[in-house]
Structure formats: structure tokens, C-alpha cells
């Protein structure tokens, strides 16, 4: 790894939310965190609900702004990129695949729009070629999924469809915020394997967000354990889970079904 492989950096980033009628209730959702992710690396952010994981994702996605600190992509402050350029480099998949589709349109629309976003206007034949290629790469049979409405496909199929969309856009960074928590266990393993495949295929850096230590252990090169907006532990996946230093990580590990505890 060289310096040039650095894709994303957080420099002392905090996010405070003000809520309530008079905006007097303050929540420090993310508290002075610094980290980076390299090209082709899979990094998991692990923590219980409310620990600040999605707030980090939303700051990277420019849905919300940090209250303090800087975020860089390719060493440039993310606020300096025009939005369209930015979303060619940084993409996301979320917990609920249905939310990424419009119920009234056939699922094809999502891929048609992705081709338009990435390549501009191209011929119908070329567009079809791109779409068929990525669907096959993601093990979806075009005949089975194209021309359908979202409710005619399963959650797992829709999530895979959204990964095909990522393959069209070919971003550098993918934020996956609990992408498997709303799909059944069988499809879940498939999504995790496809994410690994995608990383290889387009040298993608992935920030994988989960409350499930088993999934983090399976997919990531490195993990960061979060609690109350802070990073309490981080390191190579094996090291962190084989030898957890922090009480919080030890407790998280203890609450995992024994099936996952191969490393103890
Ligand atoms: N828009 C918001 N306004 C006020 N508080 C928020 C907002 N978004 C998140 N929070 C609070 O910030 C904390 C972290 O939330 P979040 O990042 O969603 O955690 P996680 O994704 O780990 O479950 C929680 O206490 C949550 O209630
Ligand atoms: Mg969340």
C-alpha cells in the first residue's frame, strides 16, 4: 500500500445533533473520530444501535455535514467536489432494498438511470449490453428480473440488483449500511460474498456497517468497534476478535451465538 492508495480519511470528525422543540437537546452522535480506508479494503464499523454508525455513513454521503473536523476523498475535502462527480466516486446501499426503488416503475429503471449517469446518452443496444453484463456478473438472470416491478422480486434479489447498479457506476468507495439486516439468512451470505467479489472486480473500498460481529468477521480486513460515538477499538479483524482489548468488544463477542465463535 502506498500513500496514493488512501481513498477516504476522517480527520477528528464530530457530529452534534440539536433536537427538540427549542433545539436544546444535544446529542453528540460522533465524537472526534479519525480513520482512513485504502483502495480495495473492506472496513467494518461495528456497534450497537445508536452508536453513531449511520451518522458516519451520512456524513460520507454528504447527507449531513460534520459539526467539526474534515473528511477527504482522494485527499480532497469532500465539500469541494461537485455533487455529481462525488457520487460517481462514492455510492451506497442501505438496509431496506425496497426504499431504493419506486414502486410504480419496473426495476429496469434503476439500471437505465445508472447507465445514463455513468455513460451519458448511449444507444439502446449498448445500454442493454452493459445491463446484461452486470446482471450476469452478479448471478442474476436478466430474463428473470428485467421487466418486473419491485414487489415481484425478493429482498435478496433487489439487493443484488442494487449491487449490479454499483457495478455499472463503478464507484471507488461503497458505503453499505446494514445491507443484509432485512433479508433472509440464505440471501445474506450471498450478498456478503458478492460484496467481496465486487471489491475484487472493481477494486472497490467498502465501509461495511453492521451490529453483527459475525458478518464483520466474515467480510472485513479491518474493523472499528464503536460505542457512544467513539471508537473504542480498531485493528485487523483477526487481531481485534482474537484478542479483544476493550470490555465493550469482549461483551459484544460474548453475546454472539457460539456458531460464530470460531476464533475463541
Ligand atoms: N437527525 C438526528 N437528529 C437528532 N439525533 C439524531 C439524528 N440522527 C441520529 N441521531 C442520534 O445520534 C445517535 C447515533 O445515531 P446513528 O448514527 O443512527 O446510530 P447507529 O447507526 O449506530 O444506530 C443516536 O443517539 C441517535 O438518536
Ligand atoms: Mg444505523
Amino acid at each position: 500500500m502506498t500513500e496514493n492508495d488512501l481513498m477516504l480519511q476522517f480527520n477528528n470528525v464530530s457530529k452534534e445533533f440539536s433536537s427538540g422543540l427549542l433545539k436544546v437537546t444535544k446529542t453528540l452522535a460522533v465524537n472526534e473520530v479519525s480513520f482512513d480506508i485504502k483502495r480495495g479494503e473492506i472496513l467494518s464499523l461495528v456497534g450497537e444501535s445508536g452508536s453513531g454508525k449511520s451518522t458516519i455513513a451520512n456524513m460520507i454521503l454528504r447527507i449531513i455535514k460534520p459539526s467539526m473536523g474534515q473528511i477527504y476523498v482522494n485527499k480532497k475535502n469532500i465539500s469541494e467536489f461537485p455533487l455529481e462527480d462525488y457520487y460517481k466516486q462514492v455510492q451506497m446501499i442501505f438496509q431496506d432494498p425496497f426504499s431504493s426503488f419506486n414502486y410504480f416503475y419496473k426495476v429496469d429503471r434503476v439500471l437505465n438511470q445508472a447507465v445514463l449517469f455513468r455513460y451519458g446518452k448511449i444507444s439502446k443496444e449498448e445500454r442493454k449490453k452493459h445491463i446484461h453484463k452486470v446482471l450476469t456478473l452478479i448471478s442474476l438472470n436478466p430474463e428473470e428480473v428485467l421487466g418486473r416491478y419491485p414487489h415481484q422480486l425478493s429482498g435478496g434479489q433487489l439487493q443484488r440488483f442494487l449491487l449490479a447498479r454499483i457495478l455499472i457506476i463503478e464507484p471507488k468507495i461503497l458505503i453499505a449500511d446494514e445491507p443484509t439486516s432485512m433479508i433472509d439468512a440464505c440471501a445474506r451470505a450471498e450478498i456478503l460474498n458478492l460484496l467481496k467479489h465486487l471489491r475484487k472486480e472493481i477494486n472497490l473500498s467498502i465501509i461495511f456497517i453492521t451490529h453483527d460481529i459475525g458478518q464483520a468477521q466474515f467480510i472485513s480486513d479491518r474493523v472499528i468497534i464503536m460505542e457512544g460515538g467513539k471508537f473504542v477499538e480498531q485493528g485487523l479483524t483477526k487481531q481485534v476478535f482474537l484478542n479483544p482489548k476493550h470490555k465493550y468488544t469482549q461483551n459484544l463477542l460474548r453475546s454472539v451465538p457460539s456458531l460464530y465463535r470460531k476464533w475463541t
Side-chain angles (χ1 to χ4, degrees):
M1 288 283 172
T2 68
E3 265 288 290
N4 289 335
D5 288 321
L6 214 53
M7 289 309 305
L8 172 93
Q9 287 168 282
F10 264 53
N11 179 17
N12 227 9
V13 173
S14 296
K15 177 67 191 181
E16 186 177 66
F17 289 110
S18 307
S19 51
L21 205 54
L22 298 168
K23 300 269 174 217
V24 287
T25 313
K26 309 271 188 213
T27 310
L28 194 53
V30 171
N31 188 354
E32 296 189 18
V33 303
S34 299
F35 72 99
D36 54 48
I37 179 163
K38 297 177 182 60
R39 191 186 298 274
E41 188 177 37
I42 303 183
L43 172 72
S44 285
L45 282 182
V46 186
E48 285 174 346
S49 179
S51 56
K53 308 182 296 296
S54 293
T55 303
I56 287 186
N58 291 336
M59 286 193 283
I60 300 171
L61 295 171
R62 295 175 66 179
I63 295 168
I64 52 175
K65 283 191 174 145
S67 316
M68 214 187 75
Q70 300 83 31
I71 304 171
Y72 302 97
V73 163
N74 269 332
K75 306 211 176 72
K76 187 162 146 182
N77 195 309
I78 60 171
S79 60
E80 290 171 21
F81 289 91
L83 275 183
E84 190 171 321
D85 285 356
Y86 191 68
Y87 291 123
K88 282 189 173 135
Q89 300 192 53
V90 182
Q91 278 289 327
M92 59 299 221
I93 47 169
F94 295 117
Q95 197 167 30
D96 177 7
F98 285 92
S99 66
S100 301
F101 292 87
N102 185 324
Y103 202 81
F104 298 106
Y105 292 101
K106 290 177 179 162
V107 291
D108 314 32
R109 188 169 187 255
V110 162
L111 296 190
N112 287 334
Q113 284 179 331
V115 172
L116 186 68
F117 180 61
R118 166 78 200 276
Y119 296 101
K121 272 205 178 322
I122 57 172
S123 73
K124 210 173 162 184
E125 283 68 44
E126 270 188 284
R127 190 174 70 203
K128 215 170 143 185
K129 224 167 65 190
H130 281 302
I131 290 178
H132 277 242
K133 187 176 146 213
V134 294
L135 286 175
T136 312
L137 269 172
I138 225 87
S139 312
L140 281 174
N141 178 357
E143 312 295 323
E144 265 175 40
V145 290
L146 293 177
R148 303 271 179 120
Y149 288 94
H151 66 273
Q152 295 178 310
L153 299 179
S154 70
Q157 277 176 316
L158 288 180
Q159 206 63 304
R160 270 194 288 160
F161 204 85
L162 291 171
L163 289 180
R165 176 182 164 274
I166 299 297
L167 268 173
I168 289 175
I169 299 173
E170 290 196 350
K172 303 280 193 300
I173 299 168
L174 175 68
I175 315 294
D177 192 352
E178 313 235 17
T180 62
S181 54
M182 284 180 70
I183 56 184
D184 64 77
C186 189
R188 187 173 298 164
E190 214 170 306
I191 297 292
L192 294 179
N193 281 320
L194 279 171
L195 281 171
K196 279 187 167 182
H197 180 67
L198 226 68
R199 173 258 286 272
K200 269 231 277 303
E201 194 70 35
I202 56 175
N203 209 8
L204 189 63
S205 308
I206 302 176
I207 298 187
F208 183 81
I209 295 181
T210 183
H211 58 268
D212 181 341
I213 270 193
Q215 291 189 38
Q217 190 256 350
F218 176 75
I219 199 168
S220 43
D221 305 311
R222 249 182 337 127
V223 286
I224 293 176
I225 313 282
M226 284 192 79
E227 183 191 20
K230 284 196 156 170
F231 292 172
V232 293
E233 192 153 2
Q234 56 180 308
L236 295 175
T237 306
K238 244 193 180 155
Q239 283 169 6
V240 169
F241 292 151
L242 269 176
N243 189 14
K245 299 266 186 296
H246 202 274
K247 219 176 169 54
Y248 180 76
T249 318
Q250 291 165 359
N251 284 338
L252 274 180
L253 275 169
R254 223 170 278 130
S255 64
V256 171
S258 58
L259 192 66
Y260 280 137
R261 279 201 257 143
K262 293 194 277 273
W263 53 82
T264 55

